[in-house]
Amino acid sequence: MTDTRIDRRFARLRDENRPALVTFITAGDPSEEVGQAILDALPQAGADIIELGMPFSDPMAEGIPIQLSSQRALNAGQTLTKTLDMVKAFRTRDNETPIVLMGYYNPIYSYGSERFLDDAKDAGVDGFIIVDLPPEVDTELCIPAVKRGLNFIRLATPTTDGKRLPRVLQNTSGFVYYVSIKGITGTAAPDSSAVSEAVTRIKSHTDLPVAVGFGVKTPEQARELGRTSDGVVVGSALVEAIRTSLDSNGNATEKTVSAVSDLVRSLADGVCSARSAAAE
């Protein structure tokens, strides 16, 4: 029985025979006000699921673009409380689009895990990707989240072998995030053949949807990866669209929100045509 926004969204997309476009932005980048405007505009531009990054000073899995986006947000005064407030504000206008908080455990630990989970659920968060919490410590946050009806999404990578994969999938829900390259975000283009083989292997172990990310920047890449995956995740390209729209002082311009929305629209066109392109 599916009963979370993420489950319902993937079920709807299966009926439509298309993969999901999963978009990542960093909360509060380049400021709380403009970050909120970007977040609010994502569904209309074509985002099916939103990953909202929780800014952190040591984002070890991230490449330079997302590191810089975290730094811009922190410099602008973004906090975990303000990130949850952004989700609350989003939910006053959109009660359908799933939001996944992505980040690292230190800020959550400082906030208080139980308090964080309660506040996140009240704000309208649907799930979490916490990069530095392995399955060996599921009692820390994963299992308490699942007990609250929140999804906990785990990363599988090219180095996750057959012995490790079942452990990674245990307690994972919502979807599986397959990291398409070895290394950090946005540093290499994924090999679509290798990704297809990996997605097939993961799906032989689970009924969960498999979304592919790290290194996806263009509609063409999104279309190619969407042929064999259940979702395509784009992050670095979007935060770069923010960075390159800023003025010389690092402030948002009239182009900042539209720069992200326009790119999301083109990526959505890519994923929406993935299955029809594969059938030709």
Side-chain angles (χ1 to χ4, degrees):
M1 178 67 76
T2 61
D3 60 1
T4 71
R5 288 190 187 92
I6 296 173
D7 295 333
R8 290 192 290 272
R9 180 55 55 101
F10 274 111
R12 196 189 87 187
L13 296 178
R14 275 195 298 274
D15 291 342
E16 296 175 3
N17 190 32
R18 71 173 181 87
L21 175 61
V22 185
T23 59
F24 171 95
I25 60 169
T26 298
D29 174 29
S31 68
E32 185 178 1
E33 179 183 4
V34 177
Q36 184 77 56
I38 293 170
L39 174 64
D40 292 345
L42 288 176
Q44 189 170 7
D48 296 300
I49 297 173
I50 297 169
E51 287 181 15
L52 188 59
M54 297 178 284
F56 182 49
S57 58
D58 185 23
M60 66 182 78
E62 318 298 354
I64 294 297
I66 294 180
Q67 289 182 34
L68 290 175
S69 73
S70 262
Q71 200 58 58
R72 288 193 297 270
L74 292 170
N75 290 343
Q78 189 69 13
T79 64
L80 197 47
T81 298
K82 289 182 178 180
T83 298
L84 295 174
D85 287 343
M86 286 180 65
V87 179
K88 282 183 192 173
F90 178 88
R91 283 282 171 247
T92 65
R93 293 175 279 274
D94 186 321
N95 199 35
E96 298 293 330
T97 306
I99 292 185
V100 176
L101 294 185
M102 183 171 186
Y104 299 82
Y105 189 49
N106 272 24
I108 297 170
Y109 181 81
S110 297
Y111 190 93
S113 297
E114 296 292 329
R115 176 182 164 223
F116 169 75
L117 291 172
D118 288 340
D119 290 353
K121 186 171 178 64
D122 288 345
V125 171
D126 300 291
F128 307 97
I129 301 172
I130 308 301
V131 178
D132 52 352
L133 278 184
E136 284 72 17
V137 292
D138 271 358
T139 55
E140 194 77 22
L141 195 71
C142 172
I143 291 174
V146 171
K147 286 181 176 177
R148 286 169 168 83
L150 298 163
N151 291 128
F152 204 87
I153 295 113
R154 193 86 69 190
L155 302 176
T157 75
T159 59
T160 305
D161 60 21
K163 183 177 180 182
R164 178 67 174 166
L165 186 58
R167 187 75 179 93
V168 170
L169 295 174
Q170 187 177 10
N171 297 322
T172 297
S173 62
F175 63 93
V176 180
Y177 187 140
Y178 179 66
V179 175
S180 63
I181 59 172
K182 295 178 182 176
I184 54 179
T185 57
T187 53
D191 178 332
S192 59
S193 296
V195 169
S196 177
E197 290 177 10
V199 169
T200 299
R201 183 171 64 89
I202 293 169
K203 290 176 81 69
S204 71
H205 289 265
T206 179
D207 293 330
L208 289 171
V210 179
V212 177
F214 278 45
V216 184
K217 297 178 180 177
T218 68
E220 291 75 21
Q221 289 174 314
R223 181 181 299 113
E224 182 67 24
L225 295 177
R227 291 177 179 179
T228 54
S229 67
D230 301 299
V232 179
V233 187
V234 183
S236 295
L238 299 182
V239 299
E240 273 294 271
I242 294 173
R243 184 187 67 80
T244 56
S245 75
L246 305 178
D247 66 19
S248 58
N249 294 317
N251 297 315
T253 66
E254 61 181 13
K255 298 178 181 177
T256 299
V257 177
S258 62
V260 179
S261 296
D262 290 347
L263 179 54
V264 170
R265 247 177 232 107
S266 67
L267 292 162
D269 287 343
V271 297
C272 287
S273 63
R275 302 287 165 77
S276 57
E280 292 176 353

